Amino acid sequence: MQSISAKPETRIDADALADLPRIGAPAVIVIFGASGDLTHRKLVPALYNLSAQSLLDERSQIIGVARRDKSDKQFRAEMEEGIRKYSHVAFDERIWRSLAPRIRYIRGSFDDADTYARLGACLSDLRTGDAAVRNRVYYLATPPRSFGTIVGHLSHANLTGDDPDAGFVRIIVEKPFGHDLETAQALNEEIATAFREDQIFRIDHYLGKETVQNVLVFRLANGIFEPLWNRRYVDHVQITAAESIGVEGRAGYFDRAGMARDMLQSHLLQLLTLIAMEPPVAFEARAVHDEKVKVLRSLRLPDAETLRSVSVRAQYGTGAIAGEQVVGYCDEEGVAADSQTETYVAIRLELDNWRWAGVPFYLRTGKRLPKRATEVAIQFKQPPFALFERSGVPRLDANVLAIRIQPDEGISLKFASKVPGHDFHVDPVQMDFLYSRAFGIEPPEAYERLLMDAVAGDSTLFARIDEVELGWRLTDALRAAWQEPGGSDLARYEAGSWGPREADLLLEREGRRWRRL
Ligand code: BG6
């Protein structure tokens, strides 16, 4: 296929980012679970990057709380290492020197009241000190089993109330939000004893990805796509989140979760809502959440037998990725030899609403696939009749609009073109937009955006509780259908392949094919 490049008309200046009116007030960001991977790989590098771009008020403070014994100095050294390794902004000694003294560490157990007494004392000092930082953002970067304990203690220690004098208090909760609908509701009730809904920010880091945010801009800031965005013109939609990695030392969590809970319930359904939702009345949290919830409510929930027939669950065996031999899932460290956990899931969904009735949405996600690629593809219907057939042109590929979420972030449109020459040949060509080429800058990390928004109090890019619950409704029903006696078999696929044959059949029986990415 040939490729036609779209030329950018506007370039944005990196300095222009600093003019964003979104910088929140100075805040103390308290990270529970500060010894974990997320803190030094994502959170602190993101806060550093925000500082480097002047997007975090320079009086803001960071407090890490965790069980391990270490001094402020050691904690800072670890964070510096994380920034040097994982930040996408080059390390700048000057910025680090301004941020480092504002990073502290509190050692303590999450279930020990004394931890919170010391945290309270530290927060009071910061409130009365020269910088006078009153606002607080708690980040729960811990295993979910600690969420309730932490919230209970924060509340008990009077650290959750926000009043004009104390400044604002917000809480960011990492995913997974619950293990199923029941646990999600219980967790929400626990958090709600101490925080109002507008103080709770539930992370789905896909929503912070630049390309995911751009889905709504692409649809609604352009006049030409939205009229086509419906059952009249769209044949079907494919959403793929492929990963080449396996469980990467997270077997303890993943083996209990599986791909449906880990990826489908959250990231894939969030992508689906942004693609399928009606235009909101305003680009602000409530209006956007309301429209997303409508999509999730219109998700058809078939009976168990139908659910089994429209879904595939599978697990990878040994294979090779990029020429390197890798073990099968059951041979991964920490995974039981007879584990039945799915590392791949594919499902055909339908939305019972005016816009999308009858349009299938095929979703697939898997680990140990040949490469990392997340994409949403809108496949349009064929023209009403094949005008060029008599000129010897066979039926052509349909138009496809592909939104590449990662990597090679961009958007492409496939259409048919006459091949130059006296013969009548028609070939598919592709019009391509690439972020890197158009803007010349790398998209920021999802966590930067999300931390910035939480500090600014904007929850548009976070998941509201009803979205989370509706996600679980589908995932619970699916898992229950799989687990019924005589339920669906766990299919197998070779690591490094594009998933099991059963997933291909899911589309082939309807005369369609998964896209080759
Ligand atoms: C996480 C899942 O939420 O998302 C992981 O728990 C998965 O299993 C990850 O690997 C994928 O995120 P990304 O940003 O690398 O696509």
Side-chain angles (χ1 to χ4, degrees):
M1 190 186 306
Q2 302 167 32
S3 173
I4 300 171
S5 299
K7 248 203 151 151
E9 286 184 357
T10 16
R11 292 195 158 263
I12 60 162
D13 177 353
D15 291 344
L17 283 174
D19 297 335
L20 282 175
R22 311 190 54 85
I23 307 170
V28 186
I29 297 153
V30 183
I31 305 175
F32 290 93
S35 302
D37 244 19
L38 186 72
T39 306
H40 81 279
R41 268 179 193 253
K42 297 283 185 190
L43 303 182
V44 174
L47 290 166
Y48 167 87
N49 292 346
L50 289 176
S51 304
Q53 296 164 79
S54 311
L55 293 172
L56 184 72
D57 187 285
E58 56 194 20
R59 287 161 293 172
S60 291
Q61 309 276 333
I62 302 170
I63 303 179
V65 185
R67 225 173 306 243
R68 283 186 210 155
D69 196 10
K70 64 184 84 148
S71 62
D72 284 349
K73 197 170 159 208
Q74 278 167 316
F75 184 58
R76 286 175 192 150
E78 282 172 22
M79 295 306 113
E80 179 181 346
E81 201 187 314
I83 294 165
R84 285 183 186 272
K85 206 158 157 193
Y86 299 110
S87 162
H88 68 88
V89 173
F91 189 82
D92 181 333
E93 200 62 52
R94 201 174 40 93
I95 293 174
W96 174 242
R97 273 207 304 274
S98 114
L99 184 65
R102 291 182 279 128
I103 301 182
R104 294 172 174 72
Y105 183 77
I106 293 180
R107 187 194 71 80
S109 253
F110 301 142
D111 55 5
D112 179 1
D114 190 47
T115 308
Y116 303 86
R118 281 179 288 123
L119 173 63
C122 183
L123 289 169
S124 299
D125 283 352
L126 291 171
R127 228 164 97 180
T128 51
D130 293 344
V133 189
R134 295 190 175 83
N135 306 310
R136 276 158 283 159
V137 177
Y138 299 116
Y139 199 119
L140 304 189
T142 65
R145 63 175 178 279
S146 304
F147 292 171
T149 313
I150 296 171
V151 168
H153 277 286
L154 284 172
S155 168
H156 213 245
N158 278 330
L159 296 174
T160 57
D162 62 353
D163 58 56
D165 183 43
F168 63 70
V169 179
R170 298 184 183 130
I171 186 161
I172 308 178
V173 190
E174 252 305 323
K175 104 173 230 301
F177 198 86
H179 194 62
D180 51 23
L181 179 59
E182 204 183 318
T183 50
Q185 285 173 331
L187 171 60
N188 202 54
E189 272 167 31
E190 259 178 323
I191 300 179
T193 56
F195 296 93
R196 297 182 310 271
E197 177 66 25
D198 66 287
Q199 293 177 289
I200 308 171
F201 291 71
R202 297 176 197 81
I203 287 261
D204 183 310
H205 77 278
Y206 268 51
L207 294 174
K209 290 184 192 272
E210 194 70 28
T211 39
V212 175
Q213 294 172 51
N214 197 34
V215 169
L216 285 191
V217 175
F218 178 77
R219 284 185 55 191
L220 306 174
N222 295 297
I224 59 173
F225 302 112
E226 202 51 24
L228 307 178
W229 216 260
N230 56 52
R231 62 192 300 273
R232 235 190 232 213
Y233 302 102
V234 174
D235 178 74
H236 73 275
V237 177
Q238 293 188 18
I239 303 180
T240 303
E243 298 184 276
S244 55
I245 55 168
V247 280
E248 313 293 299
R250 294 164 73 228
Y253 152 74
F254 187 84
D255 201 45
R256 286 187 59 236
M259 216 54 176
R261 284 183 173 124
D262 187 45
M263 294 287 290
L264 175 69
Q265 187 273 343
S266 47
H267 309 325
L268 266 72
L269 287 183
Q270 285 290 343
L271 287 175
L272 179 134
T273 57
L274 293 173
I275 291 294
M277 70 188 257
E278 293 301 319
V281 289
F283 190 53
E284 49 92 13
R286 187 173 178 169
V288 172
H289 290 308
D290 285 350
E291 294 306 334
K292 287 167 73 186
V293 163
K294 280 194 216 158
V295 173
L296 294 167
R297 287 168 72 100
S298 68
L299 258 182
R300 184 180 300 172
L301 207 57
D303 58 34
E305 197 182 327
T306 315
L307 265 177
R308 282 193 291 272
S309 74
V310 296
S311 66
V312 173
R313 63 189 196 110
Q315 190 185 79
Y316 63 83
T318 49
I321 308 249
E324 268 195 36
Q325 205 61 29
V326 296
V327 297
Y329 178 69
C330 287
D331 294 322
E332 298 272 13
E333 209 183 313
V335 175
D338 58 353
S339 170
Q340 293 294 299
T341 301
E342 79 283 355
T343 58
Y344 177 100
V345 53
I347 188 166
R348 176 195 194 279
L349 295 173
E350 275 193 64
L351 297 175
D352 286 331
N353 65 24
W354 204 259
R355 186 190 281 255
W356 294 113
V359 177
F361 284 72
Y362 301 102
L363 279 53
R364 62 174 164 165
T365 179
K367 295 206 180 279
R368 286 288 190 228
L369 300 183
K371 60 173 172 176
R372 177 173 188 248
T374 303
E375 179 202 87
V376 178
I378 318 288
Q379 178 154 333
F380 292 92
K381 291 187 172 165
Q382 291 276 4
F385 85 105
L387 175 68
F388 302 111
E389 222 163 52
R390 284 199 205 139
S391 315
V393 176
R395 207 168 169 73
L396 286 158
D397 292 358
N399 296 131
V400 178
L401 182 85
I403 303 175
R404 289 189 304 279
I405 305 292
Q406 63 189 19
D408 304 327
E409 290 81 0
I411 297 174
S412 64
L413 179 66
K414 185 166 89 168
F415 56 93
S417 168
K418 182 179 176 309
V419 179
H422 299 303
D423 298 341
F424 203 83
H425 282 313
V426 177
D427 261 358
V429 293
Q430 190 154 297
M431 203 150 65
D432 246 334
F433 150 70
L434 262 174
Y435 279 78
S436 56
R437 201 172 338 141
F439 298 119
I441 51 169
E442 264 195 55
E445 273 279 329
Y447 278 98
E448 288 174 34
R449 175 63 194 226
L450 296 174
L451 281 162
M452 184 169 91
D453 282 4
V455 174
D458 183 350
S459 65
T460 311
L461 301 177
F462 292 79
R464 201 167 68 185
I465 184 62
D466 40 0
E467 292 168 44
V468 175
E469 289 182 356
L470 288 162
W472 282 124
R473 186 183 68 144
L474 172 79
T475 320
D476 286 359
L478 181 64
R479 294 182 51 81
W482 288 342
Q483 278 154 13
E484 271 182 10
S488 80
D489 289 334
L490 183 67
R492 309 279 163 180
Y493 62 102
E494 201 180 308
S497 73
W498 275 105
R501 176 76 191 122
E502 287 81 345
D504 294 338
L505 293 174
L506 192 65
L507 272 70
E508 281 172 19
R509 68 186 185 212
E510 297 182 339
R512 302 187 173 106
R513 264 182 302 141
W514 288 112
R515 276 167 55 75
R516 268 198 277 146
L517 303 183

